[in-house]
Amino acid sequence: MKTVSENKCFGGTQGVYTHASDACKCDMTFGLFLPEEAAHVPVPVLWYLSGLTCTHENAMVKAGAQGWAAEHGLALIFPDTSPRGDDVADDEAYDLGKGAGFYVNATEAPWAPHFNIWDYVAEELPALVGENFALDMSRQAITGHSMGGHGALTLAMGLPGRFASVSAFAPITHPSASDWGRKQLGAYLGANESTWTAHDSTLLMRDKGFDGPVLIDQGGDDQFLDLLKPECLAEAMAARRQDGVFRMQKGYDHSYFFVSTFMEDHVAFHSEALHA
């Protein structure tokens, strides 16, 4: 692991690091905010998964999360959204290939050699940061935006007991029934739709739910509402009587202005679960 940069931030440190990834078979970059408390004791962890076209940097510089994390004594981890490098497969479209890993392990050519973002976020990166930083890996929570909200929800329900809480900003909630999903899941996982189920939060919510609290914020003026299908997840949560809150925020769109507006609520929500 190599240090790219470390900057003083809200009394703690915002770092950027690179390492050779076994899961993705390329160099990967991630951001990590450590609050001041991490100089003395291991701190709880909040993962933030970004959306389409993003790298580790987007939320790190736009979401306004570090100040709230510092207030609650939480570390923030900002993984990248896909493998990178000249030998990594890509597509001309912005919603497939680099920047669009969809938090799955690809099984189809040409994606399978590198696009193993599920294993990277679920196993490899947690092991790496747990070994190298003052993190309490027994206390983890997860959030994300758009494609990252999809990833946060599917990881939370797919890894029972790992996360104390899960939240999402404008998540892709039903990818197996959306053009933001069918294209990508078909490309990465193949035509057998039964393999897609583990990566569809609406189907997972209907089948198993989440063993902790859930918070969803969706902008009412989001330009991608028809692709995100928030009503599907809301209906699944209600049918399951999931411990959670789904909020439609009038007038807000899909941007980081929306994310940063409600970031304080999400960090406080996760802090309560992590410190319970």
Side-chain angles (χ1 to χ4, degrees):
M1 190 179 67
K2 297 179 180 179
T3 300
V4 176
S5 62
E6 289 183 333
N7 298 94
K8 190 79 169 179
C9 182
F10 291 100
T13 302
Q14 176 61 62
V16 176
Y17 309 92
T18 63
H19 68 105
S21 167
D22 291 333
C24 296
K25 297 180 176 61
C26 64
D27 288 343
M28 296 291 287
T29 303
F30 66 94
L32 171 65
F33 170 74
L34 289 173
E36 189 173 8
E37 291 88 336
H40 309 288
V41 294
V43 295
V45 176
L46 175 58
W47 294 82
Y48 183 101
L49 305 186
S50 286
L52 284 168
T53 76
C54 292
T55 69
H56 69 282
E57 188 176 39
N58 295 71
M60 193 178 79
V61 300
K62 293 181 179 180
Q66 291 92 336
W68 305 120
E71 184 174 305
H72 291 277
L74 304 181
L76 294 168
I77 303 176
F78 304 98
D80 202 348
T81 56
S82 78
R84 308 280 176 176
D86 293 341
D87 61 340
V88 174
D90 201 9
D91 190 89
E92 293 181 358
Y94 75 94
D95 58 356
L96 188 67
K98 294 178 185 177
F102 264 76
Y103 303 97
V104 303
N105 289 337
T107 58
E108 302 298 302
W111 315 105
H114 298 284
F115 280 74
N116 296 299
I117 298 298
W118 177 282
D119 280 353
Y120 178 69
V121 174
E123 303 300 337
E124 184 177 19
L125 189 54
L128 180 73
V129 296
E131 291 170 2
N132 288 278
F133 300 97
L135 303 176
D136 182 353
M137 301 304 286
S138 69
R139 292 188 290 168
Q140 299 184 62
I142 192 165
T143 187
H145 173 228
S146 193
M147 179 185 74
H150 142 80
L153 288 163
T154 57
L155 282 156
M157 287 185 276
L159 300 170
R162 172 76 64 90
F163 301 104
S165 50
V166 60
S167 73
F169 302 86
I172 300 172
T173 69
H174 198 7
S176 63
S178 169
D179 288 342
W180 265 1
R182 293 191 62 82
K183 170 185 175 180
Q184 295 83 0
L185 296 178
Y188 295 141
L189 302 178
N192 182 356
E193 296 188 20
S194 67
T195 64
W196 303 3
T197 303
H199 302 287
D200 187 309
S201 61
T202 291
L203 299 181
L204 288 169
M205 182 62 68
R206 291 173 184 169
D207 181 52
K208 62 171 64 176
F210 177 64
D211 55 356
V214 177
L215 172 62
I216 308 294
D217 271 315
Q218 172 63 60
D221 284 358
D222 193 313
Q223 58 270 45
F224 303 115
L225 275 175
D226 290 343
L227 293 166
L228 301 171
K229 298 187 177 297
E231 67 282 359
C232 297
L233 181 61
E235 290 168 1
M237 289 175 63
R240 175 156 285 280
R241 300 179 181 177
Q242 171 68 43
D243 175 10
V245 176
F246 189 106
R247 308 191 300 191
M248 187 66 75
Q249 302 290 2
K250 184 178 180 181
Y252 286 90
D253 59 18
H254 199 70
S255 70
Y256 266 95
F257 298 110
F258 158 65
V259 172
S260 60
T261 298
F262 298 102
M263 182 57 71
E264 178 184 6
D265 290 355
H266 283 245
V267 174
F269 164 78
H270 290 296
S271 179
E272 182 177 356
L274 289 166
H275 289 104

